[in-house]
Amino acid sequence: GIMILHITDHAVLRYLERVHGVDTEMFRTAIRHEIGASAAVGVVVGGPFSVKTATGVYVCNGANVVTVLRPGARMPLRADLLK
């Protein structure tokens, strides 16, 4: 059969940056501005937490934003998302 390549999220990110010139730092800055004050409390407390805004649900583990869900979504309990 035909082999179908799996394209990782990392590869897609680098493709967007290097082939299409997408400024990912701009998006990192936007996320920091979106959740900065709210996330500060969670970072101090530590462990997994989420920050809900009008634009999405930002899932964090300590000082790391590990994923972003659609607005109104519930924080996943999947441990693999908190790595």
Side-chain angles (χ1 to χ4, degrees), residues 33-54:
H33 286 293
E34 181 77 24
I35 68 168
S38 298
V41 174
V43 169
V44 170
V45 173
F49 64 95
S50 65
V51 177
K52 296 174 183 162
T53 72

Side-chain angles (χ1 to χ4, degrees), residues 6-41:
H6 170 74
I7 312 299
T8 66
D9 290 344
H10 179 81
V12 171
L13 178 64
R14 295 299 174 240
Y15 175 79
L16 291 171
E17 288 176 332
R18 297 172 181 164
V19 175
H20 291 283
V22 173
D23 180 5
T24 57
E25 286 306 312
M26 175 187 70
F27 291 103
R28 289 180 209 280
T29 299
I31 291 170
R32 284 186 193 103
H33 286 293
E34 181 77 24
I35 68 168
S38 298
V41 174

Side-chain angles (χ1 to χ4, degrees), residues 67-81:
T67 196
V68 180
L69 307 173
R70 289 195 162 102
R74 301 185 74 175
M75 184 171 158
L77 298 177
R78 294 175 34 204
D80 62 310
L81 290 178

